[in-house]
Amino acid sequence: MTLHDFLLFALPAIFLTGLSKGGFGGALGGLAVPLLALATSPKQAVAVMLPILCLADVVGLKAYWRKWDTANLRVMLPGAALGIAIGSLTFGFFDERAIGLLIGVIAILFVGLGLIASHPTPRPLHKGRGTLLSTLAGFTSFVAHAGGPPVMMHLMPQLLDKVRFVATVNLFFLLTNAAKLFPYAALGQFSRDNLLLSLMLAPIVPLGVWSGLWLQSRINHLWFYRIARLGILLAGVQLIWRYL
């Protein structure tokens, strides 16, 4: 694949990552790795995306500083740490085909979760359920940067304020992604080529984050999520078709 073809997938993937981080709590973040995995190997897509995700987390932090839900984070972060540990110990057992299929299945599950995560009245924080889903989020985030579905399944039934929801998701993934840097380095994921690709794509991140912040109060939230889920569904189906 030529550089032109790679950028055809990579640029929208990185922009959507920043857009999602900046304004919508990960609604479009699940598209990034599936899009990149159409242009390169799934393992390389995961490696290239981690520095990008860390940068997006940091750029978006100022806008949501201290607006997160502390009670949820106290439940979610220990679970995420456990999931990362499991992911780091089992990462070598997944071949390229398995990771591609996993990303595709997670992308489709994201759409399914969106159909069942809406409730007429808020549900209280459930520590056991939150820990279980956060552990799953840590694991899927480690192997495929796809921790969004379990996190949304945990948070969306609580019907948090929009800003509090996004701030909680952003801080959760800022700390989760930072924790993944050390095992990724130990696993040899940060090759020279992968880091150069991340560096080349990095300037797109602030543009995406700032666009997300601008759009947050200017778009119909319901329709935004419907369109986002459709895009994730298409990317997931494409990956499963490719690797089956």
Side-chain angles (χ1 to χ4, degrees), residues 23-107:
F24 302 100
L28 291 174
L31 275 173
V33 174
L35 277 174
L36 274 181
L38 296 176
T40 184
S41 73
K43 284 186 177 180
Q44 186 176 28
V46 170
V48 169
M49 276 303 302
L50 183 54
I52 295 294
L53 291 169
C54 291
L55 177 59
D57 292 327
V58 172
V59 173
L61 181 61
K62 182 179 179 181
Y64 296 107
W65 183 252
R66 294 189 180 277
K67 296 177 183 179
W68 48 75
D69 189 290
T70 304
N72 269 293
L73 289 170
R74 285 174 179 167
V75 171
M76 297 165 69
L77 290 173
L82 177 59
I84 290 170
I86 296 171
S88 63
L89 292 173
T90 60
F91 189 75
F93 294 102
F94 292 97
D95 62 15
E96 179 177 313
R97 181 171 176 268
I99 293 175
L101 289 172
L102 177 64
I103 295 169
V105 170
I106 289 171

Side-chain angles (χ1 to χ4, degrees), residues 201-213:
L201 296 170
I204 306 299
V205 173
L207 178 62
V209 172
W210 296 332
S211 298
L213 291 168

Side-chain angles (χ1 to χ4, degrees), residues 7-30:
L7 292 177
L8 186 65
F9 292 104
L11 293 181
I14 304 308
F15 179 80
L16 288 173
T17 296
L19 184 76
S20 182
K21 291 278 188 181
F24 302 100
L28 291 174

